[in-house]
Amino acid sequence: MKKRYAFLWRCLFYVTGVICMAVGLTLNTKTQLGVGSVASIAYAGSLVWGLDYGRLTFVVYMVAILLQLLLKKENRHWRICLQLPFSAVFSALLTVFGKYIRISPDTVWQRLFVLFAAIGFTALGLLLMVDMKLIANPADALADTVGSLLRRDVGFGKNVIDAISVMLSCAIGLAVAGKVVGIGLGTIVTMLLTGRMVSFFRSHLEQKIQALAGISTS
């Protein structure tokens, strides 16, 4: 019975993490300050090539899955392959949330408020999904992999992936449109703060939620 309740907690935390992540990424697109770091690759591509943002997000996630398989080497796990169908579902979820979350902040302060809310939701979603050790968002799983390879936590890995994503987005815009697109103050703030926010949530919540979910913290 105890294991059953632990599994229910695990599923609840995971689903909450997925929703938080989708809400956070969607809110980021509403700020008009530039989208989140990883999302900026697909967003920049959608602007310069006129392609669907959700579909390009799926392509970015496939690349993240391939990089995990390359970086993990002997530590590869079959669960990584489950990130592919997850990516399809999550990309569709982003499309739905983008349609129904209808907010248009007008002032700078409103946009900044939405931005910090987006960062908080994204960071919490990342932590919940990674900590439940089920099927992670490919970009976040890649951040966790990079953090482990660098002997640091997932928050630091997130900082590294965010920085690389912003550079790639700038390169796409400059190469195709001759200017940087989709990158703004919000992108830079997200790149700098999301990883630190993940580390904050991790220090305050990780042991508690993993204990409820019956996951060893050793």
Side-chain angles (χ1 to χ4, degrees):
M1 183 66 70
K2 187 175 180 180
K3 290 184 178 180
R4 181 180 301 177
Y5 280 121
F7 182 72
L8 289 175
W9 274 113
R10 190 175 183 180
C11 292
L12 177 62
F13 285 136
Y14 180 76
V15 172
T16 301
V18 172
I19 294 173
C20 284
M21 175 67 68
V23 169
L25 293 179
T26 302
L27 287 177
N28 229 318
T29 66
K30 306 292 183 178
T31 62
Q32 302 176 48
L33 295 172
V35 297
S37 304
V38 175
S40 67
I41 300 175
Y43 191 66
S46 70
L47 292 178
V48 300
W49 291 313
L51 300 176
D52 181 71
Y53 169 63
R55 291 180 180 177
L56 284 177
T57 299
F58 181 65
V59 173
V60 171
Y61 284 165
M62 285 195 293
V63 173
I65 292 170
L66 290 175
L67 287 175
Q68 288 176 70
L69 292 172
L70 290 173
L71 293 174
K72 282 183 174 291
K73 297 180 181 179
E74 68 276 1
N75 293 322
R76 296 187 187 103
H77 194 281
W78 62 268
R79 193 183 294 135
I80 295 177
C81 296
L82 294 178
Q83 293 174 22
L84 188 60
F86 168 86
S87 300
V89 174
F90 189 75
S91 298
L93 190 62
L94 286 177
T95 300
V96 172
F97 277 31
K99 181 179 180 180
Y100 289 102
I101 298 180
R102 298 179 179 178
I103 58 173
S104 300
D106 297 320
T107 67
V108 173
W109 295 111
Q110 288 175 340
R111 292 174 182 175
L112 288 174
F113 177 81
V114 175
L115 173 63
F116 286 114
I119 292 172
F121 275 110
T122 302
L124 180 59
L126 190 160
L127 179 73
L128 290 174
M129 292 171 65
V130 171
D131 273 4
M132 291 306 99
K133 304 184 187 301
L134 293 173
I135 307 173
N137 179 307
D140 300 332
L142 179 59
D144 190 40
T145 299
V146 171
S148 297
L149 288 174
L150 297 176
R151 302 185 184 279
R152 301 289 292 273
D153 64 9
V154 63
F156 185 83
K158 175 66 174 172
N159 287 141
V160 173
I161 296 301
D162 283 349
I164 294 174
S165 298
V166 170
M167 289 189 288
L168 286 174
S169 300
C170 291
I172 290 172
L174 290 171
V176 181
K179 61 180 180 179
V180 175
V181 296
I183 303 294
L185 174 64
T187 309
I188 305 303
V189 173
T190 300
M191 178 181 69
L192 295 174
L193 294 186
T194 302
R196 297 305 90 206
M197 187 66 74
V198 171
S199 296
F200 171 80
F201 282 135
R202 186 185 187 196
S203 64
H204 288 79
L205 298 176
E206 185 174 63
Q207 290 187 350
K208 296 176 183 178
I209 62 177
Q210 287 194 333
L212 284 171
I215 298 172
S216 174
T217 57
S218 59

